[in-house]
Amino acid sequence: MMLIKNKCIPVSYSDPNFVIVVVAAVAVLLSPCLVPVSAAAAAKQELKLRFGRNGEFKILQVADMHYADGKTTLCQDVLPSQVHGCSDLNTTAFLNRMISAEKPHLIVFTGDNIYGFDATDAAKSLNAAFAPAIASHIPWVAVLGNHDQESTLSREGIMKHIVTLKNTLSQVNPLGAHVIDGFGNYDLEIGGVKGTGFENKSVLNLYFLDSGDYSTVPSIPGYGWIKPSQQFWFERSSAKHQREYMSKPEAQKGPAPGLAYFHIPLPEFASFDSTNFTGVRQEGISSASVNSGFFTTMVAAGDVKAVFTGHDHVNDFCGELTGIQLCYAGGFGYHAYGKAGWQRRARVVEATLEKTEKGGWGAVKSIKTWKRLDDGHLTAVDGQVLWSKKSSGNRRKKGIPVV
């Protein structure tokens, strides 16, 4: 059933026109379901992220911390030599090391931030899980996974708590959105270098979406998916960013690159084998059992160059499909399932600007990535270029040096 102008009409997920009907309905929907936005959230929206004077912007992705009750929560799937004293505090220590080593401009937590079943108090577990990011004074954001809401807060409650924490740019949902499924759908604009012609333009756009937890449709088993209302919001946001980027001043010929972050991988992640990705695939692709069409939506929009997810902890690969890189981060948290002897890890993404003819900084030239392992040296592995302005993302490169 779907609410349109206060009336419920039956719809079928098997109807090929389902997505079209729902998206069209959302476009004309007159709804009482406007998500309230606090003054604090509106103020945070005004905080402008931008590239540094070195022409770089670095993002640290943290997937699947599965934080629970701290030092009393034991580690999963570690070597016998690591068992004694291993707890959630190992996850905290790894996060502190990563922040210190990489000094990112933004930290992105891509869901299952806490493991609800083992978290006695969701708010306290969230506070502890995000504590290193908060203490760093680095801007950070979060989306939800499928386990965050299994403690003492609902999915809405989780996001409403997150947005109250210091230094976060997370949003419960888009400002002014009338109807949208889920909680934690929003975008961020990354401005050019201050003092250049691009300082008032977003040269890199970040999209964050709630990929859900589990299907709420009795006839469809398995995990959740990105719904038509979210896709409609994404399409409108992408079109707005592209319109502004290709308008004066400094009008550009094509869209600024975009990156998308959410928890549950798309079915298209199953398109690769060992010959056409960088990293490892050590378990199945746990996507929804239906294809919502979001990958096609992103391809049609034309600006998203890479997608970053978590959920499948012992997969950490990136593979390119139809001009979009589909990337796992690999499991970060020690209370999450993993593989003994296979180190917990985090993914880093770095965008670099091109130099203009006058020697200043212009648009994004390239986007590269690498992962760091939680070993004695925070070893960097699998460096690669995800997208470059010259290649338009159609050529995959390996062996990029990382520092």
Side-chain angles (χ1 to χ4, degrees), residues 70-119:
K71 64 181 181 181
T72 61
T73 300
L74 303 181
C75 297
Q76 302 286 330
D77 297 328
V78 295
L79 294 171
S81 60
Q82 298 175 293
V83 170
H84 181 70
C86 192
S87 71
D88 277 339
L89 300 188
N90 291 61
T91 302
T92 298
F94 183 25
L95 183 51
N96 278 318
R97 294 178 71 207
M98 284 298 305
I99 292 171
S100 177
E102 290 291 357
K103 297 176 175 60
H105 298 92
L106 179 69
I107 305 169
V108 179
F109 297 94
T110 50
D112 283 2
N113 309 296
I114 63 173
Y115 187 65
F117 284 127
D118 293 339

Side-chain angles (χ1 to χ4, degrees), residues 106-161:
L106 179 69
I107 305 169
V108 179
F109 297 94
T110 50
D112 283 2
N113 309 296
I114 63 173
Y115 187 65
F117 284 127
D118 293 339
T120 305
D121 183 308
K124 289 182 179 179
S125 293
L126 289 164
N127 295 347
F130 297 132
I134 294 168
S136 74
H137 301 290
I138 294 170
W140 61 275
V141 294
V143 295
L144 300 180
N146 55 294
H147 289 304
D148 291 287
Q149 78 291 341
E150 294 167 340
S151 179
T152 56
L153 290 174
S154 66
R155 293 179 75 77
E156 181 178 11
I158 290 283
M159 282 309 303
K160 284 185 173 180
H161 179 78

